[in-house]
Amino acid sequence: GRGDSPAGVIGAAGAVRDRRSGCEGKAGSKGIMGGMANASRMLMVGLMLGTMVGVAEGVEVCRVADLALVTQTGEFFLAAGFLVMGVSTTLFVMLSFKAQQEKRKFFYCACFITVVGCFTYYAMLSGQAWLITPNCRQLFYVRYVDGAVTLPLAFLAMGLIAGAEQTLILAVMGGGLMLVFATFMSAITGGFIKWLWFAMGLVVLIPVLMAVLVAFRNSAERRHPSIPELYGKLAWLTVAALALSPVVFLFSAGLSQWSPNFEILVYALLDICSKVAFGFVMILSHEAMDNAAGLPLFSAVEPMARDRETPSYGTQPMRPVSKAVETYI
């Protein structure tokens, strides 16, 4: 029928209801799907928050009252170490300008050892390059950067003085790097892993000490007699610092028995012995340095012509002087 008849109106109304119900059904399904998506998102966020809370509960948080920090006493020791390293570096640089070309490599080693130490103490004095360890202790990690540079340089200077093979020198320098790395990893970790790193550092320390005390010394014994004497002084300075460093680490960063101030004092004394005293003993041993650099001790003096013509007494008669005495005056 037509659109304005009762039957048409009823049919049109039914069609409109059917379309509305279809739209409502689609909207309802979309709402259900959106609600499920929102619920899944909330569930994922809840799981992530729960995981983060669990991790946060497993991490030990240090209270401010429990932190072991460096005070003004420690800063005084750092300032003293900075001044000693700076003055020593200045003297080494001035002496290196007067040194012969063959000996400057030893002066350069001494200069770089003390200048790196000077930079390290200035960084610690200015409050830089430190972190808080798991045992709530302030740790200057720049000290280990210093050791990674200065310890191989000391081994290089000792190997050159002893005349050791290049492969042996490189091996000992690599052992020094491994020792510093193991000590640093032990300082920044805790629990069983901490002491495992400490044990690995001790394992590396033993062959390094054997190389310094035996292999390098055997090479030095085969050179000029003045070289073993110098090498013995340098070796004991280095060995004493290397042997005492694990003890200092054990009572400071290991067991936290010593305060950070006392730790800085002990390390400063070790640095003065292994860096400053090491450099002065090395560059002030002139005879040993000359022999280590391959310089001749005495230059050959050519005899004068008059001495070559003068015969020895009792072998030939003296020839009469043919020139007047005034010619020699």
Side-chain angles (χ1 to χ4, degrees):
R2 297 186 333 183
D4 54 352
S5 63
V9 173
I10 294 172
V16 172
R17 285 196 303 268
D18 291 339
R19 287 195 295 268
R20 288 180 178 177
S21 62
C23 292
E24 291 175 357
K26 292 179 180 179
S29 63
K30 290 182 179 179
I32 294 174
M33 295 297 294
M36 293 179 62
N38 292 332
S40 62
R41 293 192 191 98
M42 294 179 64
L43 180 61
M44 292 296 296
V45 172
L47 291 175
M48 293 175 62
L49 289 176
T51 304
M52 293 174 63
V53 170
V55 173
E57 290 178 355
V59 176
E60 182 182 356
V61 180
C62 297
R63 298 181 301 175
V64 178
D66 297 334
L67 293 177
L69 303 176
V70 177
T71 62
Q72 293 182 352
T73 304
E75 293 176 355
F76 172 78
F77 297 145
L78 292 176
F82 169 70
L83 291 177
V84 172
M85 294 294 172
V87 173
S88 301
T89 301
T90 305
L91 293 177
F92 291 158
V93 171
M94 294 174 61
L95 292 175
S96 65
F97 290 140
K98 300 180 180 180
Q100 296 176 336
Q101 187 67 31
E102 293 80 3
K103 299 196 306 182
R104 286 187 179 180
K105 54 187 175 182
F106 304 107
F107 285 81
Y108 292 157
C109 288
C111 291
F112 277 107
I113 288 174
T114 53
V115 74
V116 172
C118 181
F119 290 168
T120 300
Y121 275 90
Y122 180 74
M124 293 187 292
L125 180 61
S126 59
Q128 298 174 326
W130 61 273
L131 51 82
I132 299 297
T133 60
N135 56 354
C136 303
R137 186 183 183 88
Q138 185 179 10
L139 175 70
F140 289 99
Y141 60 84
V142 69
R143 185 182 300 278
Y144 298 94
V145 179
D146 172 275
V149 178
T150 58
L151 188 58
L153 283 176
F155 290 150
L156 175 62
M158 295 171 65
L160 292 176
I161 292 173
E165 298 180 356
Q166 294 183 358
T167 54
L168 178 60
I169 297 175
L170 292 176
V172 178
M173 293 173 64
L177 289 174
M178 294 171 60
L179 175 62
V180 174
F181 179 77
T183 308
F184 172 71
M185 295 302 298
S186 178
I188 63 175
T189 54
F192 174 75
I193 301 177
K194 179 185 188 69
W195 300 113
L196 183 60
W197 277 113
F198 182 74
M200 287 191 290
L202 293 179
V203 171
V204 176
L205 178 61
I206 294 175
V208 170
L209 293 179
M210 293 298 296
V212 173
L213 293 176
V214 179
F216 280 3
R217 180 176 288 275
N218 291 338
S219 299
E221 293 290 343
R222 294 192 291 266
R223 306 195 70 185
H224 192 271
S226 61
I227 294 180
E229 181 181 359
L230 170 61
Y231 180 81
K233 298 177 182 179
L234 300 178
W236 283 115
L237 286 173
T238 306
V239 169
L242 290 176
L244 292 176
S245 294
V247 179
V248 179
F249 178 87
L250 181 64
F251 288 99
S252 57
L255 300 175
S256 298
Q257 297 295 323
W258 292 351
S259 65
N261 296 332
F262 188 72
E263 175 188 2
I264 290 176
L265 173 61
V266 178
Y267 274 129
L269 295 177
L270 293 180
D271 287 339
I272 291 174
C273 293
S274 61
K275 293 181 174 66
V276 178
F278 182 92
F280 277 110
V281 170
M282 179 173 61
I283 66 177
L284 294 181
S285 300
H286 301 290
E287 182 181 1
M289 285 290 95
D290 291 340
N291 288 281
L295 296 176
L297 293 181
F298 302 100
S299 59
V301 179
E302 183 180 359
M304 298 176 62
R306 185 179 60 184
D307 296 336
R308 291 197 304 266
E309 295 177 358
T310 302
S312 59
Y313 293 97
T315 57
Q316 295 179 359
M318 296 182 63
R319 290 176 293 181
V321 180
S322 59
K323 295 182 180 182
V325 179
E326 290 81 0
T327 59
Y328 296 97
I329 300 177

